[in-house]
Amino acid sequence: MPASVAPRRILVVGSGGREHAIAWRLARDPEPAELIAAPGNDGLASLARCVPVAADDVPALVALARGERVDLVVAGPELPLARGLADACTAAGIPVFGPVRAAAELETSKQFAKERMRALGIPTPRAETCATLAEAEAALARSDAPWVVKVDGLAAGKGVRVSDSRAEVREFLADALERGRFGDAGRRVLVEEFVAGEELSVMAVTDGERCVLLPPARDAKRARDGDRGPNTGGMGAYAPAVDDAALEATVAERIVQPLLADMRARGTPFRGVLYAGLVLSATGPTVLEFNVRFGDPEAEAVLPLVTGEFGALLAGAARGALDPRAIARAPGAAIAVALVDERYPEDGAGGVIEGLEALAAGDAIVFIGSARRQAAAWRFAGGRVAWVGARGADVTEARARAYAGIDRLGGEGWRCRRDIGGAAASGSAARAHAAAAEEGI
């Protein structure tokens, strides 16, 4: 199949709101492909045939893709990529949208990402890598508050601490380096310089050489309004966060393209989504983290602004022949607000949401996360339950439409932030660093 031709059958790997958003956008292509999801969820089931194969079971996913004769595998979360899904698909002759394991190390090892950025001159905060508590405490003594500490590997969104309290940071370091709270992911930590500025998430779809940037987004990580409370996997996002073509060109030329060239030179070309978590510092865009897949919740806000042949774009990237002309950006803005268990990010008691079906039938955009359909309602037992989004001429209009839809919902046991896309969620310095520090979802 030529790279410019839309795939006929696509396997979407994952089970959350991000994967629902990916499938939703693929289903809106001019010639939509047949969609299969593994394992999917009850929201995805309206768009795709869901198969009960775990998203991190690489052999079973490859067997499913081969048996279904799919034209493309699209990896949603990072864990299957870390376990070699792209390597296994490539070995089996199955096109896959997502980087091989060696390239995915840009997310699975913060130390590796730092090394590559330093070698390439990509702006990033200074950091020291430490393997013992004594080394980490010495690094803290050489730096100023607020302190930023990160475990090296994947830690499910809990591997970062930003604090003015040395005692709090030391406790986090002891958890990682002495008590084994994060397992192998926490055997090494980075003590990183704090950089002030607003956050920006830029996702680049790439075939390893060429790339196309999607609308820049800004997400909200703190659990409560006004950027209060603990970090979460993400409480909402909006796009575009900035309208600055010169800034986007700088990100492409000084960050994305040098890294792609480096990956090619290392024999591990990066094909998939390169997500740059940035802070807009006084000296320009600075990279806090790289992720190797669509962000969550950024995908829920960005993909509604993508027009054209999304499936053909991803297929071209997977085959090393990206055609940036396959898609375009819709005018206006979009927002996505997370509906979460009222105790989130702690373990929740569960509950029910009523009215999502009616919203989805109107002009709202609804993506399902952890909720399960039960008759006319959606039940949940914790986590990020669903997403309610909307488009508008600008962020203000999109925001008003989204919250108007949320106000029509019923049920119990759920909540949402009420300031996504508002002035309070515009990205404080401390939140910016912490938010981009670990996506992990």
Side-chain angles (χ1 to χ4, degrees):
M1 181 182 67
S4 59
V5 176
R8 298 181 302 275
R9 183 174 290 181
I10 300 174
L11 170 62
V12 177
V13 176
S15 61
R18 164 184 46 214
E19 289 73 38
H20 192 176
I22 292 170
W24 176 90
R25 182 56 195 82
L26 287 168
R28 280 156 177 75
D29 277 354
E31 297 182 16
E34 176 187 352
L35 301 178
I36 303 165
N41 62 34
D42 286 356
L44 266 163
S46 66
L47 301 169
R49 176 162 49 90
C50 295
V51 180
V53 173
D56 60 351
D57 188 342
V58 171
L61 290 170
V62 173
L64 174 64
R66 183 186 288 117
E68 293 285 352
R69 299 179 180 273
V70 302
D71 300 307
L72 179 66
V73 174
V74 177
E78 71 279 2
L79 189 54
L81 296 169
R83 294 187 174 179
L85 176 61
D87 308 68
C89 286
T90 300
I94 303 167
V96 57
F97 182 77
V100 295
R101 179 164 21 199
E105 200 173 357
L106 288 168
E107 178 170 359
T108 61
S109 172
K110 295 176 181 63
Q111 180 185 24
F112 174 77
K114 284 288 186 186
E115 290 172 350
R116 301 322 310 149
M117 286 188 278
R118 288 172 185 151
L120 297 168
I122 293 174
T124 188
R126 295 187 306 272
E128 294 186 52
T129 302
C130 308
T132 68
L133 185 57
E135 291 176 356
E137 288 182 324
L140 287 179
R142 290 188 289 269
S143 58
D144 299 321
W147 290 284
V148 180
V149 291
K150 307 175 182 179
V151 302
D152 179 54
L154 299 177
K158 299 177 181 179
V160 173
R161 186 61 51 88
V162 181
S163 178
D164 290 304
S165 168
R166 189 161 183 167
E168 180 183 343
V169 169
R170 190 190 184 284
E171 186 71 9
F172 178 87
L173 291 169
D175 275 349
L177 296 170
E178 293 193 338
R179 302 184 191 114
R181 174 186 170 190
F182 303 102
D184 288 343
R187 289 183 181 228
R188 295 181 300 194
V189 300
L190 277 68
V191 177
E192 186 173 274
E193 169 195 19
F194 177 86
V195 176
E198 293 191 350
E199 78 164 285
L200 191 69
S201 303
V202 177
M203 295 183 286
V205 176
T206 175
D207 63 1
E209 183 175 358
R210 293 162 291 273
C211 71
V212 56
L213 269 56
L214 301 181
R218 182 168 290 136
D219 72 328
K221 278 291 194 296
R222 298 290 184 180
R224 303 289 176 177
D225 286 3
D227 288 326
R228 301 190 309 272
N231 269 359
T232 72
M235 296 295 295
Y238 64 94
V242 297
D243 183 11
D244 190 334
L247 174 63
E248 290 191 43
T250 296
V251 172
E253 294 167 8
R254 299 182 184 176
I255 295 172
V256 177
Q257 288 294 354
L259 194 62
L260 296 181
D262 182 61
M263 290 291 105
R264 292 197 305 274
R266 296 172 64 85
T268 57
F270 189 103
R271 294 177 179 175
V273 175
L274 180 64
Y275 170 118
L278 308 172
V279 59
L280 301 181
S281 71
T283 58
T286 299
V287 180
L288 300 180
E289 297 287 339
F290 285 117
N291 291 325
V292 298
R293 33 65 187 187
F294 287 108
D296 188 354
E298 291 87 351
E300 288 91 324
V302 168
L303 293 183
L305 297 176
V306 174
T307 65
E309 298 180 346
F310 187 56
L313 180 81
L314 304 189
R319 294 174 178 275
L322 181 77
D323 182 3
R325 300 167 299 177
I327 63 164
R329 296 184 185 184
I335 189 172
V337 179
L339 312 183
V340 304
D341 187 289
E342 60 187 2
R343 297 184 185 178
Y344 180 74
E346 303 300 327
D347 292 338
V352 62
I353 297 182
E354 299 169 343
L356 286 175
E357 300 284 356
L359 287 190
D363 61 357
I365 304 170
V366 176
F367 300 126
I368 299 300
S370 64
R372 293 183 177 274
R373 188 194 301 270
Q374 187 175 83
W378 292 83
R379 292 204 168 269
F380 57 92
R384 294 187 296 175
V385 179
W387 302 88
V388 172
R391 287 169 291 207
D394 54 26
V395 172
T396 299
E397 183 174 276
R399 182 174 184 271
R401 289 178 177 174
Y403 282 112
I406 291 171
D407 288 341
R408 297 198 295 271
L409 297 175
E412 60 183 4
W414 63 272
R415 65 176 180 86
C416 68
R417 275 186 60 163
R418 286 282 173 174
D419 60 353
I420 305 301
S426 64
S428 67
R431 184 186 66 82
H433 204 128
E438 170 105 10
E439 287 297 312
I441 285 293

